[in-house]
Amino acid sequence: MTAELVRGQNHPLSQSRLEIRISAGTPMVAAATLGDEQGRIHGVEWVAHPGTPTLPGLEVSRQAAADHRLAVDLDAMPEAVHRVSVLLALPTGAGGPARFGAVPAPFVAVTGLDGTGIASYTVAGLDTESAVIALELYRRQGAWKVRAIGQGYAGGLTDLFTDQGLAEARQLAGGIHEAVAQGLARSVPAPSSRPDGDRSRQPAAPALGPDQGGPASTAGGSGPVPTSPYGTQSPGIPGQPAPQSPYQGDAQPAAPTSGGGIDYSHPRRQTSAPPPPPPTAPPAEPGRPAQPVAGDATGWSMEERLYNQVWGMFEDLARTTAAYRSAVDFAESRMEKELDQALSDPRSRIGGQGDAAREAAQARHTELVEQAQAALDRDVAQLTAESEVVEPALPPAFARWDNPVWHGYRVPMEIPMALRLGDLHLPECSDLRIPMLIRLPLERGLWIDSGRGASLDGSFTDTHDMRRLAMETAVAHAARLLAVYPAGEFSVHVIDPAGSGAQALDPLVRTGVLAGPPATGAARVADVLARLTQRVDLVQMALRGGAPDSLPPGFDTSQQLLIVNDFPHGFDDRAVNQLRYLADEGPAVGVHLMMVADREDASAYGPLLDPLWRALLRLTPVPDDHLADPWVGHAWTYEPSLVPPGSQVLQQVLAKVAEARAKHW
């Protein structure tokens, strides 16, 4: 039975390998410090944080999130360590809350590896504090205990580290927040958490048929960014309704354990008017996992259920891989510890005792790794089966370009809830691809990196080819955005100062789907930037003044996308500042930026452009492992969604978009 602690209360720990699970209503930083008998930190190397997430016997999350799982192995702690303090802090400079009094009280639970609760503590009573020591694990007379602390610091991590005797407190606090900012910039935007606090997958609710739908919504796991780091919805443009969610989100399922396969059911939604009972899926045979069904998730429409199901698959794969990696790490650390113990006695080095100890340790290591691999293979097989069912059922906005659904494409009447930007996979199961879906309307701009030429497969792409591939990737993304929006509700502008992207832009230019010819030359570039900047200013003034109807007559309320090629060549300081302004302020009023650029080309600007790059979601034209999931922070390999070579699907889709635009205008 889980002991519910109050501040200052302690509880014995009966296990050495633990998980510390943190649930909060908003993204926050989780860290941990190692202390001596007096609780003093001996140096920055005794602090586990997103920039340095792993220490002996301790691993913390690599980024800010609303939910964390910290791994602790007390037997692996150095002898000098007598305290492990678990810290929480609110990120700075991310537009989120600045004090704990403005967010729900964090809940911290200490569990075994199987999820069995040992102790829990709700960190209540905080107000102006922005950092807190939630609880500590401490060693007393050879036994470990947990104690609820709840000590907050209004001065943030700097004051907290200073109080624990760390001389480099200010520098370390700044480094942690810098690491968090970088993590947020590279994280795949995730849906927000459930309002009812249910973070476990419930027994399966049967899938609804494709004709039993309603408005679209969001769900999935909680993470660092639900299209913006703190789940804020953009106010949109007056006169253009943005897609609304009938509920605030869904929660992340519990981590897969070795006790069984992945459960395909998703959390039940709490509403006052649930959909009618759907037909049930055929029952699984005894002893065999349930057969996956496309749309087997919560939602009021098939689109929403598929979206939720994809996010469930994404999280399942992240967590089952984390369990596998943790098990392998434990097997290796256990083998090293057993070998050290066996060989520490000189007598064991004589005769065959040492060899026998090594063989026994290696055998136990092999057994543990094989068990972990078997569990991973089982879960991956189930997810692969689910993917094979889900992929053909995806609507155009979620589908790859080679999906037959595009051959029957029609211009939609409503904005979809999300868009596919590519695929994600992990090295343990590279054949299993998870669609990368982001919510619409976009709340971050996109950066197509035309720089790094080395691919993960060891091949090298020269600079010219990388720039060409980057521009082709940008065109594919722009075409998909045009295709999934209703006619007249999405416009694309292009800035190509030197005309170097003309070949890649040909499908957009030839079909006439652009808002105007690509801007070349300094004068036309300045004109496009001035018009879009003025647009942002006008809409912002109208919204802030509470007079959205005061916009000029005939004002185009459609979403706007600006593709910028070959930055920073051909851009003066004024243009650079306008681009920064559009990246920061544009998404909230329907103006989005897609940069095709090599960051090294802009190195002369130094840190001036760092906020610009961070404001954009970095994508690559070749496979690259630069994106992180919002649950455990794995490095996922991203591959863009490109049109198959020789396919005419892009031209066919754009022709239908152009025809619909002509009728609309």
Side-chain angles (χ1 to χ4, degrees):
M1 183 175 180
T2 304
E4 297 182 4
L5 306 181
V6 297
R7 185 173 183 177
Q9 185 179 2
N10 60 38
H11 186 76
L13 296 173
S14 57
Q15 304 178 42
S16 60
R17 297 197 71 216
L18 306 167
E19 271 194 350
I20 298 176
R21 303 183 178 188
I22 301 166
S23 300
T26 189
M28 57 184 60
V29 183
T33 62
L34 305 180
D36 57 19
E37 289 184 281
Q38 287 72 43
R40 295 289 178 179
I41 306 174
H42 287 194
V44 294
E45 65 276 7
W46 278 37
V47 182
H49 57 83
T52 308
T54 304
L55 295 179
L58 179 64
E59 184 173 2
V60 303
S61 303
R62 289 167 170 78
Q63 56 199 42
D67 295 87
H68 295 270
R69 296 193 181 198
L70 282 60
V72 179
D73 185 353
L74 298 175
D75 289 342
M77 291 290 171
E79 289 296 326
V81 173
H82 288 263
R83 293 188 189 181
V84 181
S85 300
V86 178
L87 321 176
L88 300 176
L90 296 171
T92 61
R99 60 187 186 90
F100 276 103
V103 302
F107 176 79
V108 185
V110 180
T111 73
L113 294 185
D114 59 356
T116 303
I118 300 174
S120 65
Y121 173 48
T122 300
V123 189
L126 301 178
D127 186 11
T128 60
E129 298 88 346
S130 59
V132 62
I133 302 176
L135 53 78
E136 68 176 8
L137 313 180
Y138 65 98
R139 178 160 42 189
R140 186 69 53 82
Q141 297 179 349
W144 285 90
K145 296 183 178 182
V146 57
R147 176 161 49 211
I149 303 297
Q151 176 63 53
Y153 295 85
L157 288 174
T158 300
D159 285 3
L160 188 155
F161 291 139
T162 301
D163 191 45
Q164 292 194 329
L166 186 62
E168 305 92 338
R170 183 175 298 278
Q171 296 90 327
L172 178 59
I176 291 175
H177 289 302
E178 176 70 16
V180 170
Q182 294 177 0
L184 288 173
R186 75 186 190 98
S187 294
V188 179
S192 55
S193 59
R194 284 176 61 86
D196 55 12
D198 184 359
R199 275 175 291 277
S200 62
R201 289 199 174 187
Q202 303 292 341
L208 294 175
D211 59 340
Q212 293 174 305
S217 176
T218 123
S222 58
V225 275
T227 58
S228 71
Y230 294 94
T232 55
Q233 296 291 331
S234 60
I237 302 176
Q240 178 185 350
Q244 296 296 320
S245 169
Y247 70 114
Q248 294 302 313
D250 215 344
Q252 57 191 56
T257 67
S258 59
I262 292 173
D263 182 2
Y264 290 107
S265 58
H266 286 242
R268 284 195 298 268
R269 161 191 230 160
Q270 304 297 322
T271 63
S272 57
T280 59
E285 296 179 14
R288 297 185 62 183
Q291 293 299 310
V293 178
D296 187 15
T298 55
W300 289 85
S301 68
M302 177 57 80
E303 179 194 42
E304 180 186 359
R305 293 195 297 275
L306 288 169
Y307 173 80
N308 292 350
Q309 188 170 13
V310 168
W311 270 95
M313 293 164 56
F314 186 15
E315 184 171 4
D316 281 340
L317 185 55
R319 293 198 181 280
T320 196
T321 304
Y324 167 76
R325 294 179 180 178
S326 177
V328 171
D329 290 344
F330 170 70
E332 293 177 352
S333 64
R334 175 175 174 172
M335 181 178 66
E336 293 174 0
K337 185 175 181 180
E338 290 176 348
L339 290 175
D340 289 342
Q341 291 175 347
L343 299 178
S344 61
D345 186 354
R347 292 173 297 180
S348 65
R349 304 173 191 169
I350 303 174
Q353 295 183 18
D355 293 338
R358 278 191 291 270
E359 291 176 0
Q362 182 63 49
R364 281 189 289 270
H365 171 270
T366 302
E367 180 183 6
L368 289 173
V369 172
E370 288 177 349
Q371 290 176 356
Q373 185 66 55
L376 176 67
D377 291 344
R378 179 201 62 218
D379 289 345
V380 168
Q382 292 184 15
L383 286 169
T384 300
E386 188 174 14
S387 177
E388 291 173 351
V389 171
V390 169
E391 191 70 48
L394 295 176
F398 299 177
R400 291 193 296 254
W401 282 110
D402 59 358
N403 192 310
V405 71
W406 285 106
H407 295 292
Y409 167 77
R410 294 181 179 179
V411 177
M413 301 298 292
E414 295 182 354
I415 302 172
M417 64 184 302
L419 182 81
R420 185 175 191 155
L421 290 181
D423 294 333
L424 300 168
H425 64 88
L426 291 170
E428 287 84 355
C429 44
S430 57
D431 292 336
L432 177 56
R433 308 300 173 96
I434 303 296
M436 178 181 168
L437 304 181
I438 64 168
R439 291 299 306 271
L440 292 180
L442 298 172
E443 292 197 16
R444 290 177 70 183
L446 304 177
W447 165 30
I448 315 299
D449 190 352
S450 61
R452 300 166 58 185
S455 181
L456 292 177
D457 60 4
S459 61
F460 184 83
T461 307
D462 64 30
T463 302
H464 175 74
D465 285 343
M466 278 296 292
R467 295 182 188 278
R468 175 183 56 80
L469 289 172
M471 200 60 196
E472 290 176 356
T473 302
V475 169
H477 291 325
R480 183 179 287 266
L481 282 163
L482 283 165
V484 302
Y485 269 81
E489 293 194 22
F490 197 87
S491 299
V492 177
H493 309 261
V494 177
I495 288 179
D496 187 19
S500 59
Q503 182 178 356
L505 290 167
D506 181 66
L508 300 178
V509 175
R510 182 157 35 90
T511 53
V513 295
L514 295 178
T520 57
R524 294 180 62 187
V525 168
D527 178 63
V528 171
L529 288 175
R531 284 189 286 109
L532 290 177
T533 302
Q534 183 183 35
R535 175 190 177 87
V536 173
D537 290 338
L538 285 173
V539 177
Q540 281 188 337
M541 286 190 292
L543 292 173
R544 292 170 180 170
D549 297 331
S550 63
L551 292 170
F555 186 86
D556 180 11
T557 61
S558 65
Q559 298 277 313
Q560 309 286 313
L561 174 69
L562 173 61
I563 301 176
V564 178
N565 183 36
D566 212 16
F567 177 83
H569 304 297
F571 294 84
D572 57 20
D573 290 344
R574 177 180 175 82
V576 170
N577 287 331
Q578 288 174 319
L579 287 174
R580 286 187 55 186
Y581 178 71
L582 292 177
D584 291 339
E585 305 295 336
V589 292
V591 178
H592 312 286
L593 196 59
M594 184 185 293
M595 300 278 290
V596 182
D598 179 0
R599 188 170 183 174
E600 289 300 318
D601 291 343
S603 59
Y605 287 93
L608 176 67
L609 290 183
D610 285 352
L612 172 64
W613 305 119
R614 289 181 185 170
L616 306 174
L617 177 62
R618 176 175 172 257
L619 303 175
T620 54
V622 295
D624 189 76
D625 58 349
H626 66 283
L627 290 175
D629 65 80
W631 301 286
V632 292
H634 292 317
W636 292 72
T637 298
Y638 165 80
E639 291 189 22
S641 179
L642 299 177
V643 179
S647 173
Q648 297 298 312
V649 65
L650 183 66
Q651 288 79 3
Q652 294 169 2
V653 168
L654 289 177
K656 292 184 178 180
V657 170
E659 181 182 356
R661 285 172 57 90
K663 292 179 180 179
H664 175 78
W665 296 112

